[in-house]
Amino acid sequence: ETGVTQTPRHLVMGMTNKKSLKCEQHLGHNAMYWYKQSAKKPLELMFVYNFKEQTENNSVPSRFSPECPNSSHLFLHLHTLQPEDSALYLCASSQEGLGRQAMNTEAFFGQGTRLTVV
Amino acid sequence: AQSVAQPEDQVNVAEGNPLTVKCTYSVSGNPYLFWYVQYPNRGLQFLLKYITGDNLVKGSYGFEAEFNKSQTSFHLKKPSALVSDSALYFCAVRDGGATNKLIFGTGTLLAVQP
């Protein structure tokens, strides 16, 4: 148990559906991340939030829409997805600070949501 | 830009033998390096990190990593492999930029044969 919980664990959705992935962290961290992990491809960073503000959008298509209502919760809203969006979606959190403190903190990951788009 | 490279897609080792999973890095400034492990259908679990100080870093599950500045390497090691160590291993480095994100390598699949 890493202190980062993702729901649901598995999701099957059609290309016209709208669904949301949820991530919750109980670690008091102030930074949260969405990563995409596809088979035989490197981990792709999608979004970064620091203190509830989006600080990075890694050229992610608009059919993925993140939301961070507070430092403990992160959502990924999905609509009109494509089959190639099928992947494991990982949420992570870390304690961010300034300078060296920010550099030496590890991130904690949830178990992921296995998404299948049909 | 900071980056890490894992040159081996897969490492095979017999149970009881020592194992090494390789990682090299490219950074400007001081390196902040991490190792993570991923078991099937699970998220990534933190194993260990190098910040400064002793070049040999000890982590979870008996793993350790050796930081070598001259070779820009941060190889993961274990003296005696277990079948349960079979998993996907990721090396990572802190970006140090505006978002200070973790940059991951492509991963190395470790297969330990009984």
Side-chain angles (χ1 to χ4, degrees):
Chain A
E1 186 60 52
T2 63
V4 180
T5 304
Q6 288 186 245
T7 55
R9 292 291 309 278
H10 301 272
L11 178 63
V12 179
M13 60 186 289
M15 289 189 284
T16 58
N17 291 158
K18 288 185 179 181
K19 296 287 184 182
S20 295
L21 309 185
K22 180 182 176 182
C23 177
E24 183 174 3
Q25 57 98 358
H26 307 278
L27 301 168
H29 290 164
N30 48 34
M32 297 188 77
Y33 314 79
W34 280 116
Y35 284 86
K36 176 183 177 183
Q37 187 177 29
S38 305
K40 302 184 179 181
K41 293 177 74 174
L43 271 169
E44 301 173 50
L45 178 66
M46 300 174 73
F47 301 104
V48 180
Y49 278 82
N50 277 295
F51 297 94
K52 303 186 297 178
E53 298 297 320
Q54 187 181 122
T55 54
E56 182 150 347
N57 176 336
N58 205 18
S59 302
V60 180
S62 59
R63 58 186 183 269
F64 295 91
S65 174
E67 178 190 2
C68 188
N70 54 61
S71 293
S72 299
H73 294 86
L74 185 65
F75 295 89
L76 188 63
H77 304 299
L78 316 171
H79 63 97
T80 59
L81 295 191
Q82 304 299 311
E84 60 265 29
D85 296 323
S86 298
L88 183 67
Y89 288 84
L90 293 165
C91 173
S93 71
S94 64
Q95 185 64 31
E96 295 304 313
L98 297 175
R100 188 164 176 271
Q101 178 192 357
M103 296 292 283
N104 66 16
T105 55
E106 60 270 27
F108 292 81
F109 283 78
Q111 295 191 1
T113 296
R114 174 67 64 186
L115 174 68
T116 304
V117 181
V118 297
Chain B
Q2 323 289 51
S3 66
V4 289
Q6 295 180 245
E8 302 156 317
D9 289 338
Q10 182 162 339
V11 170
N12 298 307
V13 64
E15 187 174 30
N17 283 1
L19 69 89
T20 299
V21 182
K22 295 180 180 178
C23 173
T24 58
Y25 65 88
S26 174
V27 302
S28 54
N30 295 321
Y32 294 83
L33 299 160
F34 304 79
W35 274 103
Y36 284 81
V37 60
Q38 185 180 31
Y39 297 100
N41 297 312
R42 303 292 293 273
L44 277 67
Q45 296 179 33
F46 169 73
L47 277 179
L48 51 81
K49 64 183 177 184
Y50 173 81
I51 305 302
T52 187
D54 196 347
N55 289 343
L56 187 64
V57 179
K58 294 190 182 297
S60 306
Y61 312 121
F63 283 93
E64 56 191 27
E66 186 172 10
F67 172 73
N68 187 317
K69 187 173 183 178
S70 62
Q71 297 185 5
T72 62
S73 66
F74 188 55
H75 300 333
L76 182 69
K77 301 183 178 187
K78 188 173 182 181
S80 179
L82 300 172
V83 172
S84 57
D85 292 330
S86 298
L88 191 56
Y89 290 81
F90 291 93
C91 182
V93 64
R94 276 287 193 177
D95 180 74
T99 57
N100 198 26
K101 56 187 179 286
L102 274 171
I103 306 296
F104 286 90
T106 51
T108 298
L109 183 63
L110 174 66
V112 181
Q113 283 91 32

